[in-house]
Amino acid sequence: MLTISIVTHNQLKIMSNLLQNIFENTDFHLIITINISEDETILSNYPSNRFSIVRNQKPLGFTKNHNNAFKLCKTEYFLILNPDVKIENNLINNILSEMIKNNLSVLSPIAKSNNGEVMDNARRYPKIFTPILRLISNRYKTDYEFKKKNNYRVDWISGMFIMIKSNVFLKLSGFDERFFLYYDDVDLCRRANDSGYNVYLTNKYSVVHEGNRLSKKSFKYLLIHLSSLLKYHLKHGL
């Protein structure tokens, strides 16, 4: 029914609660991509038939890693999940049920901070200056108002949690691997919407995800962010 893809960059040590939730509350198969070599001891705590491991000889980008994981997917639905999200109870099952019940192609729960503030994992398509203004203003709130518990059609959702029909991901040829990091999720969602596979966010359920904001902390990641921004606008226009 569903395959889950998680890429870890020496993050297995922070994933114990996430892994426990997946293995205790679902019966779905998990693909873990080890992007850089790390201690895998924690994985011995879980049934080996419930997960597969992909070990990279050298670090790959977000897009390549999840596209490679999708090659192992044999289920109707595919979940792209960040290692640093916090989920509770039957969230993954609930999101899958919501997709099936409403025949949705792409869906994410709303993201909240550790203190319950609604985060920005659903946004409108960026303009050329949007990321710069966000960085300067330090504004990371969603572009939408979610007044009722419902499913909302949005422009794009963050790659930290994207549940998508496998046939849709295949028809879209997955992530565009020209994006190493950043804007890969915007591009995927834009192509989905343009192809008639509408992207939705539901505020019936939530995950906790603060986000690293690496482009604010590292000049290297800022350059990657700006490079991806340029690639996005060259592809989709201003």
Side-chain angles (χ1 to χ4, degrees):
M1 182 63 75
L2 175 73
T3 299
I4 303 169
S5 173
I6 300 178
V7 180
T8 169
H9 307 79
N10 197 27
Q11 293 164 301
L12 283 174
K13 56 184 177 294
I14 69 166
M15 287 170 53
S16 58
N17 290 336
L18 177 60
L19 293 174
Q20 184 174 349
N21 182 283
I22 290 172
F23 292 123
E24 288 185 356
N25 293 291
T26 80
D27 57 2
F28 306 132
H29 194 74
L30 171 63
I31 300 171
I32 301 173
T33 301
I34 309 293
N35 205 30
I36 59 176
S37 180
E38 60 180 298
D39 183 359
E40 300 177 23
T41 305
I42 186 177
L43 296 178
S44 64
N45 298 326
Y46 306 105
S48 58
N49 65 323
R50 290 286 312 279
F51 63 92
S52 303
I53 300 177
V54 177
R55 296 180 180 88
N56 291 337
Q57 293 184 346
K58 63 178 182 179
L60 301 176
F62 180 94
T63 53
K64 184 71 172 177
N65 279 319
H66 286 295
N67 283 351
N68 285 343
F70 182 72
K71 294 174 183 177
L72 304 177
C73 175
K74 299 177 181 180
T75 55
E76 188 176 355
Y77 294 87
F78 185 58
L79 172 59
I80 297 137
L81 191 62
N82 269 18
D84 58 344
V85 300
K86 300 175 184 177
I87 63 178
E88 295 181 349
N89 304 320
N90 292 313
L91 172 74
I92 294 176
N93 285 306
N94 290 335
I95 296 298
L96 180 58
S97 295
E98 200 69 27
M99 287 193 72
I100 295 171
K101 180 176 67 175
N102 296 285
N103 193 28
L104 304 179
S105 297
V106 188
L107 181 64
S108 174
I110 199 166
K112 295 184 178 180
S113 66
N114 286 315
N115 62 14
E117 180 184 4
V118 174
M119 302 300 285
D120 59 346
N121 69 310
R123 306 179 212 168
R124 301 189 188 281
Y125 297 131
K127 303 296 184 183
I128 189 69
F129 293 112
T130 299
I132 298 172
L133 293 174
R134 289 171 69 88
L135 284 170
I136 293 173
S137 66
N138 201 34
R139 180 185 179 275
Y140 296 108
K141 294 184 178 180
T142 181
D143 294 332
Y144 298 91
E145 289 188 25
F146 306 114
K147 295 182 178 180
K148 297 180 180 180
K149 295 289 185 183
N150 208 339
N151 302 325
Y152 292 84
R153 185 178 173 185
V154 296
D155 283 355
W156 67 278
I157 51 179
S158 167
M160 63 94 192
F161 190 117
I162 297 177
M163 192 176 290
I164 184 169
K165 286 184 176 179
S166 294
N167 66 336
V168 172
F169 196 76
L170 184 63
K171 288 176 182 176
L172 295 173
S173 299
F175 286 110
D176 184 340
E177 294 180 10
R178 289 175 292 180
F179 296 92
F180 180 83
L181 183 66
Y182 303 119
Y183 292 90
D184 39 75
D185 42 13
V186 191
D187 171 72
L188 179 74
C189 291
R190 184 154 194 165
R191 289 186 288 119
N193 279 320
D194 289 348
S195 300
Y197 306 115
N198 296 334
V199 176
Y200 283 85
L201 179 136
T202 182
N203 64 347
K204 297 178 182 179
Y205 308 101
S206 65
V207 298
V208 173
H209 185 253
E210 293 278 0
N212 290 321
R213 315 290 181 191
L214 290 176
S215 56
K216 283 181 65 70
K217 305 172 184 176
S218 163
F219 185 67
K220 171 187 172 182
Y221 284 98
L222 176 61
L223 290 179
I224 295 174
H225 195 135
L226 293 175
S227 173
S228 293
L229 170 66
L230 180 61
K231 290 175 184 176
Y232 171 81
H233 287 293
L234 286 174
K235 182 175 181 177
H236 295 286
L238 300 177

